[in-house]
Amino acid sequence: MAQAATRFIHPDVLAQISSLELLARSVVEGFLAGLHRSPFKGFSVDFMEYRPYVHGDDIRQVDWKVYARMGRYFVREFEGETNTRIHLLLDTSKSMGYSSGGQSKLNYGRFLTAAIAWLANRQRDACGLALFDTQVQKLLPPRVSLAHLHVLLRTLEEVQPDAATDLERSLQTVAERHRKRGFIVLISDLLTDLNTIECALQHFRFTGHNVLVCQVLDPQEIEFDYKDVIELLDLESDARMLIDAKTAKAKYHENFHAHQDQIRRMCGLLKIDYTVLRTDAPLDTALFHYLSARSRSRD
């Protein structure tokens, strides 16, 4: 992807944009511009071919320039016109409010959710939204209209981190409400019990959904690059602990990597797409993973 496009969708740049609608449009347009200049082809982000207009086609897809040249009605046929139901699930628990200096995990998650929603609408996929912590706090059913997209983006603008996390309960609620097969995008830090994560993801696989898990983490949660004695605060329980960072670093890395390996293993067994996203990384990687998983879900 072009260097300029990558810089344009860096989270610190995006944080300066006040409107999520403008942010989402800018991210998607910048990403697609870079994608079209890259060697990665084949994603259904543009029309594939023309075909003759038939009764019942959307009149908005008529190419009037072709009509002016040929005197016949043709519509642009999009590969992405499958009306897949995209369910965007964003973790809004207190742990998502953490930031070591850059964007919080929740802010990054909001940016990503808005960008995927905009891209899904462009691909004519019906897109819905679920915000959850200990339970589902907001649930918008998948729809494909521009008016619905605006409602979804306004809902995201009002998100604040609150309460603890109950991943299994929240995802079970969503799975029960959406039994028709769709494409699930879960955006969470997944900093919870491994059995809870596995049970939560199983709800979707058992109902036939395709799933992409985007684990959003702060750089310090990955690197644990602290010095001296520090006080740790659990944002969800308010528990505090004094530790010697230098002494604790090795054990932290051991536990962290074991946790990550288990998530990767369970996603592999459940045939779930999984990616780790740092909050200091541009959104192009996340959108590329989304398009790749979205493309495989149609196979």
Side-chain angles (χ1 to χ4, degrees), residues 175 181-184 198-213 266-273 297:
R181 184 183 180 190
F183 184 63
I184 305 293
E198 186 169 14
C199 290
L201 294 176
Q202 284 175 342
H203 289 307
F204 295 123
R205 293 304 291 151
F206 288 162
T207 51
H209 292 290
N210 291 293
V211 183
L212 169 63
V213 173
M266 70 176 64
C267 285
L269 291 174
L270 292 170
K271 298 187 182 338
I272 287 174
D273 287 286
S297 73

Side-chain angles (χ1 to χ4, degrees), residues 11-59:
D12 288 341
V13 176
L14 298 177
Q16 301 172 30
I17 303 176
S18 58
S19 164
L20 263 188
E21 180 175 343
L22 177 59
L23 180 149
R25 184 171 68 246
S26 300
V27 167
V28 171
E29 289 178 356
F31 170 71
L32 294 180
L35 188 66
H36 291 162
R37 290 191 296 268
S38 79
F40 302 109
K41 306 294 184 182
F43 294 116
S44 55
V45 294
D46 284 312
F47 70 88
M48 303 300 294
E49 59 183 12
Y50 291 100
R51 62 170 172 79
Y53 174 85
V54 296
H55 180 70
D57 283 336
D58 188 342
I59 193 70

Side-chain angles (χ1 to χ4, degrees), residues 25-291:
R25 184 171 68 246
S26 300
V27 167
V28 171
E29 289 178 356
F31 170 71
L32 294 180
L35 188 66
H36 291 162
R37 290 191 296 268
S38 79
F40 302 109
K41 306 294 184 182
F43 294 116
S44 55
V45 294
D46 284 312
F47 70 88
M48 303 300 294
E49 59 183 12
Y50 291 100
R51 62 170 172 79
Y53 174 85
V54 296
H55 180 70
D57 283 336
D58 188 342
I59 193 70
R60 291 173 297 181
Q61 297 307 315
V62 172
D63 193 309
W64 298 106
K65 292 182 179 179
V66 173
Y67 172 76
R69 292 197 307 269
M70 302 182 62
R72 296 175 59 191
Y73 296 106
F74 284 85
V75 297
R76 292 165 293 176
E77 188 169 53
F78 290 79
E79 187 178 342
E81 286 181 339
T82 57
N83 198 30
T84 295
R85 294 174 179 86
I86 308 293
H87 305 279
L88 302 177
L89 281 53
L90 177 60
D91 183 348
T92 62
S93 61
K94 283 186 177 180
S95 70
M96 290 290 286
Y98 175 69
S99 166
S100 64
Q103 297 305 307
S104 71
K105 292 181 286 186
L106 183 56
N107 262 354
Y108 191 94
R110 287 169 63 243
F111 297 164
L112 176 57
T113 304
I116 293 177
W118 193 276
L119 182 54
N121 184 266
R122 178 184 174 121
Q123 292 183 287
R124 290 155 185 79
D125 283 330
C127 190
L129 173 69
L131 306 177
F132 69 92
D133 40 50
T134 55
Q135 60 185 348
V136 175
Q137 299 295 346
K138 192 75 175 182
L139 188 62
L140 299 179
R143 290 178 183 151
V144 77
S145 71
L146 191 57
H148 177 70
L149 176 62
H150 291 160
V151 171
L152 189 154
L153 294 176
R154 286 198 298 271
T155 301
L156 283 173
E157 286 181 337
E158 299 169 359
V159 170
Q160 295 293 331
D162 190 29
T165 312
D166 191 334
L167 200 65
E168 183 178 3
R169 177 186 180 187
S170 299
L171 269 57
Q172 181 177 5
T173 298
V174 176
E176 289 174 350
R177 290 288 297 274
H178 301 299
R179 294 186 177 276
K180 291 184 179 179
R181 184 183 180 190
F183 184 63
I184 305 293
V185 182
L186 172 63
I187 301 171
S188 170
D189 56 15
L190 298 182
L191 296 181
T192 189
D193 177 72
L194 288 165
N195 289 332
T196 298
I197 297 172
E198 186 169 14
C199 290
L201 294 176
Q202 284 175 342
H203 289 307
F204 295 123
R205 293 304 291 151
F206 288 162
T207 51
H209 292 290
N210 291 293
V211 183
L212 169 63
V213 173
C214 298
Q215 185 184 19
V216 178
L217 294 172
D218 186 273
Q220 282 287 28
E221 291 174 327
I222 298 172
E223 298 165 2
F224 200 77
D225 192 25
Y226 295 105
K227 309 294 182 185
D228 304 320
V229 175
I230 59 172
E231 182 180 50
L232 300 180
L233 169 66
D234 186 322
L235 293 175
E236 297 191 358
S237 69
D238 292 328
R240 296 173 182 269
M241 178 186 297
L242 281 173
I243 65 166
D244 181 343
K246 184 177 180 180
T247 303
K249 186 172 184 177
K251 187 63 176 177
Y252 175 87
H253 279 160
E254 178 185 339
N255 291 337
F256 174 78
H257 290 302
H259 183 82
Q260 296 300 99
D261 288 343
Q262 281 292 93
I263 294 175
R264 194 173 293 106
R265 182 193 64 82
M266 70 176 64
C267 285
L269 291 174
L270 292 170
K271 298 187 182 338
I272 287 174
D273 287 286
Y274 166 68
T275 184
V276 177
L277 305 172
R278 294 169 54 116
T279 57
D280 60 350
L283 288 181
D284 57 339
T285 299
L287 291 180
F288 186 76
H289 276 288
Y290 166 76
L291 281 182

